[in-house]
Amino acid sequence: MPLETFKATAHLQDGMVVKAKSRHFEITIDEPKSLGGTDTGMNPVELMLCALGACQSIVARVYAPKFNIKLEQFWVEVEGDLDTDGFMNKSDVRRGYSEVRYNIHVKTDASLEQVEKFVEFIERTCPVGDTIHNPVSLVLNKIILE
């Protein structure tokens, strides 16, 4: 399959509110009041957790038939530890998550062994999980003065 480029834009609004767009979809991103925002949307690090759970869920839906697993229900609980002193420049700690943990819930008539193999496949196949788990090249193309 060829390389596909995905694109998004993020436009700062009033305060910390950001309108993010990709294709023809838009979401509102903000910070909680405790971090100086107005709490009108999830913050970026919460969205990252959601992206991981959503990606694992989509991989599950796409590949369940190949594993002969009928998904009655599937959901992912995701949580991560982040020291906000890094974001607030109060200390020299890592700015991102130090650990991300998840529980995968599967309601199915498949055996535990089948589901374990399936979940191992999900973990290997999920692009968001791969992006979080492995270093990725982050490149600033240029700064454009408007």
Side-chain angles (χ1 to χ4, degrees):
M1 182 176 265
L3 182 67
E4 188 165 339
T5 301
F6 293 88
K7 296 181 179 186
T9 60
H11 291 261
L12 183 63
Q13 310 292 301
D14 290 334
M16 293 190 200
V17 174
V18 174
K19 295 290 185 183
K21 296 178 183 180
S22 186
R23 295 185 289 135
H24 55 273
F25 300 102
E26 180 179 279
I27 58 171
T28 299
I29 302 167
D30 194 3
E31 290 291 336
K33 290 180 181 177
S34 63
L35 293 175
T38 55
D39 204 26
T40 59
M42 287 184 269
N43 70 16
V45 294
E46 291 166 328
L47 278 169
M48 192 196 83
L49 297 177
C50 290
L52 175 60
C55 188
Q56 290 172 332
S57 298
I58 290 168
V59 171
R61 175 65 74 211
V62 170
Y63 287 98
K66 292 179 182 0
F67 282 79
N68 293 318
I69 293 179
K70 180 184 175 213
L71 295 177
E72 293 178 42
Q73 290 185 31
F74 186 97
W75 73 97
V76 184
E77 294 174 288
V78 188
E79 65 182 11
D81 299 324
L82 188 143
D83 189 333
T84 57
D85 278 354
F87 170 69
M88 302 301 280
N89 279 318
K90 292 182 178 179
S91 71
D92 195 27
V93 297
R94 179 183 173 142
R95 269 78 173 152
Y97 284 114
S98 57
E99 183 174 85
V100 173
R101 298 171 299 279
Y102 53 92
N103 296 316
I104 293 179
H105 298 257
V106 184
K107 185 174 180 185
T108 183
D109 57 2
S111 71
L112 179 58
E113 183 179 325
Q114 280 179 287
V115 172
E116 286 174 340
K117 288 179 183 176
F118 181 49
V119 168
E120 287 173 12
F121 176 83
I122 291 168
E123 291 178 306
R124 283 193 319 271
T125 307
C126 172
V128 174
D130 178 75
T131 301
I132 294 168
H133 191 280
N134 297 298
V136 62
S137 179
L138 184 62
V139 179
L140 171 65
N141 282 328
K142 57 187 163 182
I143 298 170
I144 302 166
L145 291 177
E146 299 286 342

